[in-house]
Amino acid sequence: MTSILLPLSALFIDLLIICLFFSKKVYRNSETKVYSILVTVNFIECLFNVVALLYIRYVGNFFISSILQKIDLVLIIFWATLMFIYIYSVSNFKQSIIFKRLTFYISFIYSIVILVSTCHPIITSEAIDSSGTAPVLAYIGVAFYILGIIFCIVNSVLKDKKNISVLFFYCFGNWSFNSSFTYV
């Protein structure tokens, strides 16, 4: 049951962020619009994660588990897309609607490829994992978005040196997140 504590904590933190963000008066521009969608998708992904983990842990139907894991991977790709678009929006780039739409179209097509790819659930008493083409494709897609985000942040740092702390915290957070998978 310990594997459910982290998603439940994330769900609680997301709920707090949503309450804080939507209870305050915010300026309606493209950045806050993308951020509000990002926060909402993050909440939906965390809620889906909790429900899927409970289903997989207690029911354990492999076919349904595979579908749930594919949907989770698509939600992660959608979240990474929104995070990239948000960082792109605040990184002093010339705003291009065509670039943003193209990014969403590519992610949509990529998500369809993930949904039709193979995903084999691995359910043990210690962990819930998956193998197959779908998770590998999702990891590759997220890696491309991470590289795009780092490029946007580096470009922002080169234009304005006060943004170097953002680059440091992003790289440190990304490193610590990725290194945590080594010990799971």
Side-chain angles (χ1 to χ4, degrees):
M1 193 62 178
T2 58
S3 64
I4 197 73
L5 294 179
L6 185 63
L8 280 175
S9 301
L11 188 65
F12 178 70
I13 291 170
D14 283 342
L15 194 59
L16 288 175
I17 291 172
I18 285 175
C19 289
L20 287 173
F21 181 76
F22 288 112
S23 66
K24 295 170 64 174
K25 182 180 177 186
V26 294
Y27 296 105
R28 294 289 170 200
N29 57 21
S30 64
E31 295 167 8
T32 56
K33 182 180 177 184
V34 172
Y35 185 76
S36 66
I37 296 170
L38 180 68
V39 169
T40 305
V41 167
N42 194 39
F43 178 76
I44 291 168
E45 203 274 329
C46 282
L47 183 64
F48 181 81
N49 230 344
V50 169
V51 171
L53 278 173
L54 289 173
Y55 177 84
I56 291 170
R57 179 63 69 194
Y58 293 112
V59 178
N61 183 332
F62 279 97
F63 178 72
I64 301 295
S65 298
S66 174
I67 292 172
L68 291 175
Q69 288 178 340
K70 287 180 186 181
I71 293 171
D72 188 42
L73 293 172
V74 167
L75 286 171
I76 290 170
I77 290 290
F78 189 56
W79 183 88
T81 305
L82 287 169
M83 185 63 148
F84 172 72
I85 294 295
Y86 177 72
I87 297 294
Y88 174 81
S89 298
V90 298
S91 294
N92 302 327
F93 280 108
K94 180 182 175 188
Q95 300 301 313
S96 171
I97 298 294
I98 295 171
F99 179 76
K100 291 179 184 178
R101 286 185 181 164
L102 182 63
T103 304
F104 277 115
Y105 291 142
I106 290 171
S107 292
F108 180 74
I109 292 168
Y110 201 72
S111 296
I112 291 173
V113 171
I114 288 174
L115 286 174
V116 298
S117 298
T118 58
C119 180
H120 307 287
I122 301 171
I123 303 169
T124 65
S125 60
E126 293 87 27
I128 298 173
D129 201 358
S130 60
S131 65
T133 311
V136 171
L137 289 174
Y139 299 149
I140 291 170
V142 169
F144 276 116
Y145 282 120
I146 288 171
L147 290 175
I149 289 169
I150 289 173
F151 173 77
C152 289
I153 293 173
V154 167
N155 183 50
S156 178
V157 166
L158 292 176
K159 288 183 179 180
D160 190 1
K161 299 294 183 208
K162 69 179 181 181
N163 294 330
I164 199 158
S165 61
V166 175
L167 177 64
F168 173 75
F169 283 117
Y170 183 78
C171 291
F172 179 71
N174 205 359
W175 170 78
S176 64
F177 176 74
N178 290 330
S179 65
S180 68
F181 285 114
T182 310
Y183 303 108
V184 172

